[in-house]
Amino acid sequence: MNLPKALKLLRELHSINQVSLGDTLDLSPSYISDLEAGKRTPSLEVLESYSDFFSVPLSSIFALAETIHKP
């Protein structure tokens, strides 16, 4: 599973930068960056925030993460 890349892909597909996403989700841009780099693991609450903001089921985020191969 590659959750960091899935979160980054989701953000990029919606053409939103880390600063704007962080502002919207009340998270720091550095935290968003760390999530996307795999340096931090998102809580379920954070994943639900992504799900709500991007209007995708949480299960779809996990499904996307399952389809992305690690480098």
Side-chain angles (χ1 to χ4, degrees):
M1 179 185 305
N2 199 336
L3 194 52
K5 285 196 176 186
L7 296 177
K8 182 176 182 176
L9 180 60
L10 191 57
R11 179 181 59 77
E12 289 177 341
L13 286 172
H14 287 84
S15 301
I16 186 168
N17 63 43
Q18 291 177 342
V19 173
S20 296
L21 181 60
D23 287 345
T24 302
L25 300 183
D26 199 27
L27 301 169
S28 72
S30 63
Y31 181 75
I32 301 288
S33 176
D34 286 350
L35 290 178
E36 293 179 1
K39 295 178 182 177
R40 301 201 53 179
T41 303
S43 66
L44 183 56
E45 182 181 349
V46 168
L47 291 174
E48 288 172 339
S49 294
Y50 269 78
S51 174
D52 291 342
F53 179 74
F54 292 116
S55 298
V56 296
L58 187 55
S59 60
S60 294
I61 295 174
F62 286 112
L64 178 61
E66 285 292 327
T67 64
I68 299 173
H69 298 290
K70 291 187 177 182

